[in-house]
């Protein structure tokens, strides 16, 4: 894998997240990317015979609209990898049925919106470190989180997905800080990856 493979992975990921395919088509296309792309977060040995990612069944009740309230301050998260400490600025807090979730802005060149979530399924049914609703630096726009008029967002938990470190320890990922941890189980989106 080289840098151009990673660039192509991000471009294909962004195209998939912005496509007009339905949830089933999205999941099938994501499986194909994971199975065949050289920059897949799956270890190369796991790609042959890869049956696809595990998902909760689609759940229309996992799509919610939430009002936003202002938030302020910055947080640092140490990825434990070559990125080191990454600074995030609080953009707003979404008042969701699951609990409040902070929307973060990555304080680096180019920035990007980041919404990690750790819920009551984490470590049992889903990856223990939590999942992401969006990480626009990685091209995951338009499905998990959509900005609406009137200081609101639409969150679609059917698109919660695992960070790359859930598949292979060679990846370092920022995980959900304490304020993005909710006790409610969100039984939507991607399940834990098992080799």
């Amino acid at each position: 894998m080289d840098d151009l493979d990673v660039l192509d992975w991000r471009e294909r990921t962004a195209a998939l997240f912005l496509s007009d395919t339905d949830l089933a088509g999205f999941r099938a296309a994501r499986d194909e990317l994971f199975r065949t792309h050289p920059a897949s977060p799956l270890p190369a040995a796991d790609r042959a015979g890869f049956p696809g990612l595990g998902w909760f069944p689609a759940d229309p009740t996992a799509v919610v609209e939430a009002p936003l309230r202002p938030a302020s301050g910055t947080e640092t998260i140490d990825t434990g990898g070559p990125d080191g400490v990454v600074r995030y600025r609080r953009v707003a807090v979404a008042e969701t049925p699951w609990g409040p979730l902070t929307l973060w802005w990555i304080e680096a060149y180019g920035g990007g919106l980041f919404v990690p979530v750790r819920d009551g399924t984490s470590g049992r049914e889903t990856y223990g470190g939590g999942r992401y609703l969006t990480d626009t630096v990685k091209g995951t726009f338009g499905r998990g989180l959509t900005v609406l008029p009137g200081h609101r967002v639409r969150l679609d938990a059917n698109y919660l997905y695992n960070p790359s470190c859930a598949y292979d320890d060679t990846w370092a990922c920022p995980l959900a800080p304490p304020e993005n941890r909710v006790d409610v189980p969100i039984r939507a989106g991607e399940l834990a990856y098992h080799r």
Side-chain angles (χ1 to χ4, degrees), residues 88-170:
Y88 297 85
R89 177 174 41 85
R90 292 171 181 88
V91 173
V93 176
E95 296 294 347
T96 79
W98 312 300
L101 294 174
T102 300
L103 283 59
W104 300 91
W105 188 260
I106 301 167
E107 293 277 270
Y109 176 78
L113 191 64
F114 179 54
V115 182
V117 179
R118 190 174 191 279
D119 67 280
T121 67
S122 299
R124 296 175 185 88
E125 299 165 276
T126 63
Y127 179 61
R131 298 172 289 166
Y132 297 169
L133 264 173
T134 194
D135 183 357
T136 61
V137 166
K138 301 292 177 80
T140 61
F141 312 76
R143 290 203 181 242
L145 182 144
T146 307
V147 177
L148 302 173
H151 303 288
R152 299 178 64 77
V153 289
R154 179 180 302 113
L155 304 175
D156 188 340
N158 290 296
Y159 291 96
L160 278 166
Y161 65 94
N162 292 329
S164 297
C165 56
Y167 312 105
D168 188 342
D169 293 339
T170 62

Side-chain angles (χ1 to χ4, degrees), residues 6 19 33 48 61 63 86 89 94 100 125 128-129 139 166 168 183 191 193:
V6 174
S19 72
L33 264 177
T61 68
V63 183
V86 180
R89 177 174 41 85
E125 299 165 276
D168 188 342
D183 293 330
L191 295 164
Y193 173 68

Side-chain angles (χ1 to χ4, degrees), residues 66-85:
L68 297 174
R69 64 176 162 84
S72 63
T74 59
E75 182 80 18
T76 58
I77 300 173
D78 189 343
T79 65
D83 292 337
V85 174

